Amino acid sequence: MPFALTPERDRELTDILTRYPTKMAACIPLLHLCQEQNGFIDDDVVTFVSHRLDLPPAHVKGVVTFYTLFNQHKVGKHQVWVCRTLPCALRGANDMLHYCEKKLGIKAGETTADGKITLRTAECLASCGSAPMMQVDKDYHENLTPAAVDEILEKLRS
Amino acid sequence: MLKQTNYLTKVYGLPEGWKLAAYERECDGYQTAKKVLTTMSQADVVNEAKKANIRGRGGAGFPMGVKWSFMKPHPTKPAYLVINADEGEPGTHKDRTIMELNPHSVIEGCMIGCYAIGAHVAYVYVRDELHLSKARLWDAIKEAKAKGYLGKNPFGKDYALDVVVHTGAGAYICGEETSLLNSLEGKRGEPRLKPPFPAQSGAFACPTTVNNLETIAAVPSAFKLGCEEFSKLSSIHHLNDGGVRLFGVNGHVKKPGVWECAVGLTLRELIYDLGGGILGDKPLHSIIPGGSSTPVLKADDVVHAPDEKSPLHAWHGKSVLDVPLGVDTFRNMGTMLGTCCATVMAEGTDPVACFHNLMQFYRLESCGQCTPCREGSGWLFRIAEKLMEGTCSMEELNTLHEVANGIMGNTICAFGEGTAMPALGYLKKFRKEFEAYVKGQRGTGVLNQMETSWGGRA
């Protein structure tokens, strides 16, 4: 079945379109809405967005492939991003990443077999003063300790 | 000169300090915008703004008032104010605190900025990862609209104002202003050739000013105090570097964080007085002064400025740790002030491992548009990998210089320099350590040797 937004999200799109002088400017916000609903962006979503905003599918696809946060494949229910960049690494981010990998039994970039968690590394999340840190879905978890990570991952798995 | 202030940070840490009530109570919220909009002409605002000597807080340090003065009214096209809150430079963690803890200062700053440049809409481009920042900004906009500060007739003046939050989708390059504009327009975030500059043709091909988020948030404080008075808070006001700003410190310090101080603070004060000193009281090894693109300084570096005309001459022969953190002072030391958030490395940190970590960042974040950067960043990272593995030859080590120099000046945007400068900085300052790796005496490869929550190894 072709992709379509829920009525509620469609109303949100109508609101988004009022913010800009062009339809194209709604491309990234609309892709976020679609991903929120669908989990990732496949060709059906690309077709939908291109129709809705009168854009060539190639334009939409170009945007999707440019940005890190648009998933082009199915991902886990929860996304765990571990910041690996220097300021975090200076405070143990590499050890923390390995700890997560061991605990989840997957490598960075992979999803747990139950489909619950995708573990990824992130490039600087602007949280250098509270390193090491990880982002879980929309939330930042900062100044992490092994005990805190245990708790976060347990909660996600349950 | 350590002089802590609280123009922006007064509401930090207060219960619901991010709400309009706190901003009005503690900071005379929106009274400055009211005064500006109802008593000053647009030209007066720009002239006054120049006196504040606010150097762009995003890294390049361009004077804000001068940038505003580039905006000329267009006969048919609207003007736009675009705020860069795509904070993502490794080591930089200041803008987020403003959005989360004092979002109304951003809105009020946008109102004054819009009025000054003849715009009616400000787009605040926030990186998508910062969900709390976005929510706090949207809430602040809603509160300001409910009060009539934003809308068709702010303070009874016939000058419609609106602020819109726009988000990216994860790309460091979108912090580059023209790339940000493309991203705002719904395109891939690839930088544009300049000219035309944004003031001629920016967002939606209309005249546009792009200001960093901290820059615009400083505007209400400057106008409230009087822009010249604001500038004079700085100890290097005479170098046209005025006011107060946020200073961050991270890495191997006891108390990483962000503080608001008068411009003119030194690295020594930032690291030891505000940052609480080095973890485990170890000696200091090196400092990246303002985000990963700013070349590294060694703890024992000394200022060399025998020329009396140099803005650095007053510090000739002194430690780099005692030079005021200023745009021109740091540029003349062969590095940059950048975003004014320092990353601190303690003795025992392997500089080659730092280099490797940073080169991976640039490799992953190059947008791929220009060949020297796309290929060069990959080349630099591959050699960094070989260094860490112990398979890099002396010839390849020398190639690092060639590749980095080949990127410099040969790309559309400054990402190229942002990659090459720190690479060349590390090579220049730590040549011995790099050569040791080539000669089979590899370093520890360790970044986290300190007593942190993730265990120390020293």
Side-chain angles (χ1 to χ4, degrees):
Chain A
M1 213 172 72
F3 177 84
L5 283 179
T6 60
E8 194 187 315
R9 289 200 177 88
D10 212 85
R11 276 194 294 279
E12 209 176 318
L13 172 62
T14 311
D15 179 46
I16 288 169
L17 283 165
T18 62
R19 297 174 195 162
Y20 310 100
T22 65
K23 268 195 196 174
M24 190 197 276
C27 186
I28 292 174
L30 176 54
L31 284 166
H32 278 304
L33 275 182
C34 295
Q35 182 161 291
E36 206 178 278
Q37 185 175 317
N38 199 53
F40 64 108
I41 295 174
D42 57 11
D43 285 351
D44 286 346
V45 175
V46 169
T47 307
F48 169 80
V49 172
S50 74
H51 280 169
R52 206 71 173 70
L53 300 180
D54 294 326
L55 295 170
H59 176 96
V60 180
K61 206 148 196 176
V63 170
V64 172
T65 52
F66 187 83
Y67 297 94
T68 319
L69 296 176
F70 291 135
N71 304 316
Q72 293 166 62
H73 306 283
K74 198 168 187 302
V75 291
K77 190 173 162 213
H78 300 289
Q79 312 262 321
V80 175
W81 298 86
V82 174
C83 176
R84 58 133 230 116
T85 323
L86 189 60
C88 274
L90 291 172
R91 295 185 83 97
N94 290 337
D95 295 339
M96 191 173 89
L97 176 66
H98 294 143
Y99 186 81
C100 293
E101 288 180 330
K102 211 169 144 195
K103 203 148 171 94
L104 296 170
I106 51 173
K107 291 269 168 217
E110 296 175 351
T111 303
T112 51
D114 59 4
K116 279 202 174 139
I117 301 173
T118 299
L119 177 69
R120 292 204 257 200
T121 56
E123 295 303 322
C124 194
L125 290 169
S127 187
C128 319
S130 38
M133 64 82 65
M134 56 165 67
Q135 183 177 13
V136 179
D137 301 325
K138 289 188 172 183
D139 298 321
Y140 272 30
H141 298 273
E142 301 166 286
N143 294 311
L144 289 171
T145 59
V149 170
D150 285 346
E151 200 181 314
I152 293 163
L153 296 183
E154 282 311 318
K155 214 179 265 177
L156 295 179
R157 284 206 281 205
S158 62
Chain B
M1 178 200 63
L2 175 60
K3 184 164 88 186
Q4 268 188 273
T5 59
N6 65 354
Y7 293 92
L8 265 180
T9 53
K10 201 169 176 196
V11 292
Y12 278 32
L14 294 182
E16 303 213 310
W18 54 89
K19 295 268 197 186
L20 181 61
Y23 187 60
E24 289 185 321
R25 191 181 65 236
E26 304 292 335
C27 308
D28 281 332
Y30 294 95
Q31 292 309 307
T32 309
K34 182 180 179 183
K35 197 177 108 196
V36 169
L37 260 73
T38 54
T39 66
M40 293 174 80
S41 76
Q42 285 165 275
D44 287 346
V45 180
V46 174
N47 285 331
E48 178 72 8
K50 282 184 188 166
K51 294 182 198 156
N53 287 316
I54 297 176
R55 306 291 289 263
R57 308 307 199 214
F62 196 82
M64 181 198 74
V66 178
K67 199 185 236 184
W68 284 6
S69 72
F70 293 153
M71 294 289 282
K72 301 285 176 256
H74 192 278
T76 54
K77 291 177 174 178
Y80 291 108
L81 176 65
V82 175
I83 304 305
N84 186 344
D86 193 48
E87 186 166 54
E89 170 95 359
T92 304
H93 48 112
K94 61 180 182 69
D95 293 343
R96 190 162 74 94
T97 67
I98 304 174
M99 292 185 277
E100 289 180 4
L101 302 174
N102 192 359
H104 280 285
S105 65
V106 179
I107 311 301
E108 190 176 6
C110 284
M111 293 172 70
I112 299 171
C114 274
Y115 182 65
I117 63 166
H120 293 277
V121 182
Y123 291 103
V124 185
Y125 185 105
V126 184
R127 69 181 288 189
D128 190 57
E129 290 92 330
L130 303 178
H131 294 281
L132 183 59
S133 295
K134 288 183 290 185
R136 292 264 163 95
L137 282 172
W138 276 121
D139 285 347
I141 291 168
K142 209 185 278 174
E143 282 187 307
K145 277 186 178 165
K147 273 265 188 164
Y149 299 152
L150 289 175
K152 287 214 168 95
N153 303 98
F155 317 111
K157 174 115 181 167
D158 184 20
Y159 194 93
L161 284 172
D162 195 11
V163 180
V164 172
V165 178
H166 181 89
T167 70
Y172 166 72
I173 190 63
C174 290
E176 196 279 337
E177 64 175 5
T178 60
S179 158
L180 184 151
L181 294 172
N182 274 339
S183 185
L184 170 64
E185 291 179 14
K187 300 172 185 162
R188 291 164 71 89
E190 284 164 349
R192 300 173 181 172
L193 272 170
K194 292 193 264 194
F197 290 92
Q200 295 135 20
S201 178
F204 311 107
C206 298
T208 302
T209 294
V210 184
N211 283 141
N212 167 262
L213 182 111
E214 188 194 341
T215 308
I216 207 75
V219 168
S221 319
F223 276 80
K224 184 180 162 193
L225 197 64
C227 286
E228 198 169 335
E229 281 308 302
F230 180 77
S231 178
K232 283 180 180 163
L233 292 170
S234 155
S235 71
I236 48 170
H237 160 75
H238 61 287
L239 295 174
N240 300 322
D241 203 334
V244 301
R245 64 186 297 167
L246 297 182
F247 292 83
V249 66
N250 56 74
H252 295 148
V253 287
K254 289 179 188 169
K255 288 192 304 173
V258 174
W259 294 269
E260 183 192 305
C261 297
V263 172
L265 187 81
T266 66
L267 277 174
R268 193 183 301 282
E269 289 160 341
L270 179 60
I271 296 167
Y272 292 96
D273 296 337
L274 297 172
I278 311 293
L279 280 171
D281 294 315
K282 290 270 176 68
L284 175 65
H285 176 266
S286 52
I287 317 105
I288 297 174
S292 63
S293 298
T294 60
V296 64
L297 295 167
K298 278 168 87 164
D300 56 3
D301 278 348
V302 170
V303 178
H304 182 75
D307 182 0
E308 282 177 20
K309 281 181 200 141
S310 163
L312 269 183
H313 183 67
W315 296 276
H316 177 59
K318 289 192 179 154
S319 163
V320 292
L321 298 178
D322 295 315
V323 177
L325 284 151
V327 175
D328 297 319
T329 49
F330 270 58
R331 191 170 286 154
N332 279 277
M333 289 191 332
T335 180
M336 276 175 79
L337 181 63
T339 55
C340 221
C341 288
T343 302
V344 173
M345 274 75 59
E347 200 60 61
T349 310
D350 186 344
V352 183
C354 292
F355 172 81
H356 174 261
N357 184 295
L358 292 178
M359 290 306 115
Q360 183 170 359
F361 172 80
Y362 290 105
R363 169 62 181 149
L364 290 169
E365 294 297 334
S366 171
C367 84
Q369 188 177 204
C370 311
T371 312
C373 171
R374 181 186 64 237
E375 299 304 319
S377 60
W379 205 337
L380 294 175
F381 179 56
R382 282 196 300 278
I383 297 180
E385 288 267 83
K386 291 185 92 173
L387 271 164
M388 296 303 285
E389 287 163 7
T391 56
C392 178
S393 68
M394 197 57 85
E395 196 186 347
E396 279 170 314
L397 179 61
N398 291 329
T399 310
L400 279 178
H401 289 270
E402 253 176 78
V403 176
N405 281 316
I407 302 174
M408 291 280 270
N410 293 322
T411 55
I412 287 176
C413 85
F415 182 100
E417 281 80 25
T419 309
M421 284 188 325
L424 291 168
Y426 264 99
L427 284 167
K428 188 173 150 195
K429 295 275 161 89
F430 299 104
R431 177 80 197 181
K432 211 171 74 206
E433 285 82 349
F434 278 82
E435 282 187 5
Y437 262 86
V438 174
K439 289 174 186 157
Q441 297 137 3
R442 287 158 66 187
T444 57
V446 166
L447 292 171
N448 173 37
Q449 87 289 14
M450 308 302 297
E451 286 299 332
T452 65
S453 58
W454 283 88
R457 295 185 197 155

